[in-house]
Amino acid sequence: MVGTCLVTGANGSLGSALVRHLRDCDLRVLVRDARAFRERFGDLDVDVREGDLSEVEDVDDAIDDVDTVFHCV
């Protein structure tokens, strides 16, 4: 069991490739634009958090109860 994985920058080239690879995992993403992520990935069962990595509160919220972080920004 991998646990919960967080992918930052999931709308970018590297991040979106990783999301496709991890699609069967318990996955959370931190993106600036949740709508753009949903347009790209449809109804993929992912916990989408909208935020900005430069905002401490956004990062704290996104990493809560996460086991692994993939920083793809």
Side-chain angles (χ1 to χ4, degrees):
M1 173 120 189
V2 175
T4 302
C5 297
L6 170 67
V7 177
T8 62
N11 281 337
S13 303
L14 181 60
S16 62
L18 186 58
V19 167
R20 286 185 191 90
H21 181 74
L22 297 172
R23 71 181 330 128
D24 294 328
C25 298
D26 185 13
L27 189 58
R28 179 180 300 162
V29 297
L30 177 61
V31 294
R32 286 191 217 173
D33 186 348
R35 184 180 52 82
F37 180 86
R38 287 295 178 205
E39 286 175 2
R40 175 176 279 183
F41 289 101
D43 60 352
L44 183 66
D45 185 23
V46 173
D47 178 8
V48 179
R49 306 287 174 99
E50 194 169 64
D52 186 332
L53 283 174
S54 67
E55 297 295 330
V56 174
E57 298 83 14
D58 293 348
V59 175
D60 283 345
D61 176 56
I63 63 171
D64 189 38
D65 296 323
V66 166
D67 299 299
T68 306
V69 176
F70 295 95
H71 182 58
C72 299
V73 176

